[in-house]
Amino acid sequence: MAGRGPADRAGAGDGDPTAQAARTGTGCPTDGPDGYHGHDSPAAERATLRLREAVPTEAAPVEADPGGPGRPDEPPRYAPAWLRLREPADAAARAHDLLDPLRIRLANLPSRADGLVVHDLGCGTGSMGRWLAPLLDGAQHWVLHDRDPYLLHFAAVGAPRSAADGSRVTVETRRGDLARLTPDALAGAGLVTASALLDVLTAEEVGTLAAACAAAGCPALLTLSVAGRVELTPAHPLDAEITEAFNDHQRRTGLLGPDAVTSAAEAFAAHGATVRAHPSPWRLGPGEAALAEQWLRGWVGAAVEQRPGLREPAGRYLEERLAACAAGELRVVVHHTDLLALCRPTGGPS
């Protein structure tokens, strides 16, 4: 999740209130038994991931449950409008420098008749698939995981249909929670992806994810995790305190927040993976004023929630920043980090 105000998620993630999407090569997903969504639905829901509750990150607006209040069985959801708003900035920010080492690893994996199987965790409205699938050659089958069927619908409808070389891209969706990863959830996976997800996980959950990828012998491309640093131009005396309060908010209830990439790198390395990290900042100027405005509201709001004593000065701060944004005078850099973990192929050396 880039500078996780509201996140894409992933995402859940990274300040994206927009939900991620599932991709399909043949049309919209259909609801199968036991909550399974997708093509070729099995008789029962297949092993999947348990996704923790969505946590607002970076300024992500969270939509009210359309079923009404008082329904604990319905998870909060990131607003698709936020996810759509942030998708161009996410696409521009993701680290292309990690794609060549990924392509080399994928080229050395055993080939499958149905092509590369990609599991996109916390897919939201599917922005990761829309970005990555057209950048990779060869047939692909994307398995989109999210707890929100509403977002899975958007993901499936908006899925890409072809790879970089024109090969077919197909999709299935799986509804479930990521709090717990079943041992066989990634069986047959050739790649695991996530966007704006790591920072809303705990250290235990990141460790479980790393262990699952290592057991599957597949690489993981985990993008747009917040780095805990924001640059606003012109500068303001309250910038540092708002940033600090927001970072503390991200770490509430044991979530990793800005420590996510370090924790994930250590977890994957402990399983023998080669890990690479690369900056993936949002760079917001006058052309991204709508995104900057929503990000500011969420970012400052989370800081005030964490430190109520900031409410009055932060209110004035937000007014000034929004005015500068509307006048085209504000520049924002929200730092994120992309991580590529090249796990040892199963049964062979790295």
Side-chain angles (χ1 to χ4, degrees):
M1 318 157 174
R4 284 193 175 248
D8 178 358
R9 297 346 56 110
D14 162 53
D16 249 4
T18 359
Q20 269 120 302
R23 282 149 194 98
T24 169
T26 57
C28 300
T30 56
D31 289 355
D34 298 320
Y36 181 88
H37 303 263
H39 308 289
D40 305 318
S41 300
E45 184 177 16
R46 294 162 64 183
T48 187
L49 301 171
R50 293 184 52 97
L51 248 183
R52 72 161 42 251
E53 273 195 3
V55 177
T57 62
E58 243 180 17
V62 176
E63 273 194 345
D65 174 10
R71 297 187 53 188
D73 56 317
E74 289 297 326
R77 60 166 53 115
Y78 290 112
W82 163 254
L83 297 178
R84 286 193 298 270
L85 185 61
R86 68 170 288 166
E87 185 166 343
D90 287 348
R94 290 191 183 98
H96 281 253
D97 287 359
L98 296 179
L99 293 183
D100 280 346
L102 174 62
R103 290 185 182 108
I104 291 170
R105 171 53 58 88
L106 295 178
N108 291 324
L109 292 177
S111 60
R112 292 174 49 113
D114 54 352
L116 175 69
V117 177
V118 184
H119 285 253
D120 189 22
L121 310 183
C123 71
T125 56
S127 69
M128 171 61 95
R130 284 189 291 275
W131 175 75
L132 183 59
L135 295 175
L136 299 177
D137 287 335
Q140 302 165 41
H141 180 69
W142 283 69
V143 182
L144 306 173
H145 299 260
D146 205 284
R147 70 178 298 165
D148 189 340
Y150 183 59
L151 297 184
L152 286 173
H153 169 76
F154 282 107
V157 169
R161 305 301 175 89
S162 59
D165 60 358
S167 298
R168 189 176 182 220
V169 175
T170 58
V171 165
E172 69 180 80
T173 62
R174 296 187 190 175
R175 183 183 178 188
D177 256 326
L178 260 190
R180 189 172 63 215
L181 187 59
T182 58
D184 56 348
L186 301 181
L191 173 64
V192 169
T193 65
S195 188
L197 176 67
L198 290 179
D199 38 283
V200 294
L201 299 181
T202 64
E204 181 180 0
E205 289 163 351
V206 166
T208 299
L209 172 61
C213 292
C218 67
L221 180 62
L222 310 170
T223 68
L224 298 171
S225 295
V226 292
R229 293 180 294 115
V230 174
E231 299 169 28
L232 297 101
T233 305
H236 187 287
L238 209 55
D239 289 346
E241 190 171 0
I242 296 289
T243 299
E244 185 178 283
F246 176 80
N247 289 343
D248 289 344
H249 187 275
Q250 289 246 291
R251 297 185 177 103
R252 295 196 310 178
T253 66
L255 304 185
L256 288 168
D259 308 316
V261 170
T262 298
S263 180
E266 292 173 352
F268 277 96
H271 288 281
T274 299
V275 180
R276 303 186 184 206
H278 199 281
S280 53
W282 275 359
R283 300 185 184 277
L284 310 181
E288 297 78 30
L291 175 59
E293 176 189 343
Q294 290 302 312
W295 172 82
L296 276 166
R297 292 182 186 279
W299 184 63
V300 174
V304 171
E305 183 177 339
Q306 181 67 20
R307 298 186 188 177
L310 279 174
R311 185 171 303 279
E312 188 174 328
R316 294 191 297 269
Y317 172 90
L318 181 59
E319 287 182 7
E320 293 176 23
R321 287 308 200 186
L322 291 176
C325 183
E329 298 168 353
L330 183 69
R331 303 291 188 279
V332 182
V333 179
V334 182
H335 290 275
H336 305 96
T337 304
D338 288 2
L339 183 147
L340 173 64
L342 299 174
C343 298
R344 291 173 176 160
T346 305
S350 172

